[in-house]
């Protein structure tokens, strides 16, 4: 499962460049509201858990995984 970064553009790109330069954009007073800490949001974690349950149920039931539909995230 692939999720997008929870920070919107252009803050995502600015944050990546600052990370590459050895800075912490999530600690910068101006950027910390716009560039969230690296990682997944709570909604993304909940969605991954829900999809994992569906995957497990499909595998346990013996159905083909081709019958499982996963929406784009």
């Amino acid at each position: 499962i692939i999720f997008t970064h929870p920070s919107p553009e252009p803050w995502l790109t600015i944050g990546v460049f600052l990370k590459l330069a050895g800075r912490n954009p999530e600690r910068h007073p101006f950027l910390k509201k716009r560039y969230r800490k690296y990682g997944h949001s709570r909604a993304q974690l909940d969605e991954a858990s829900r999809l994992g349950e569906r995957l497990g149920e499909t595998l346990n039931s013996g159905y083909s995984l081709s019958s499982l539909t996963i929406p784009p995230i």
Side-chain angles (χ1 to χ4, degrees), residues 10-12 16-17 21 25 31-32 46 50 55 62 64 66 68-69:
W11 307 111
L12 174 61
V16 168
F17 284 126
L31 292 175
K32 70 180 177 180
D46 292 341
R50 190 179 68 76
L55 177 62
S64 171
S66 62
L68 182 66
T69 56

Side-chain angles (χ1 to χ4, degrees), residues 55-63:
L55 177 62
E57 290 169 358
T58 303
L59 289 171
N60 284 333
S61 67
Y63 290 113

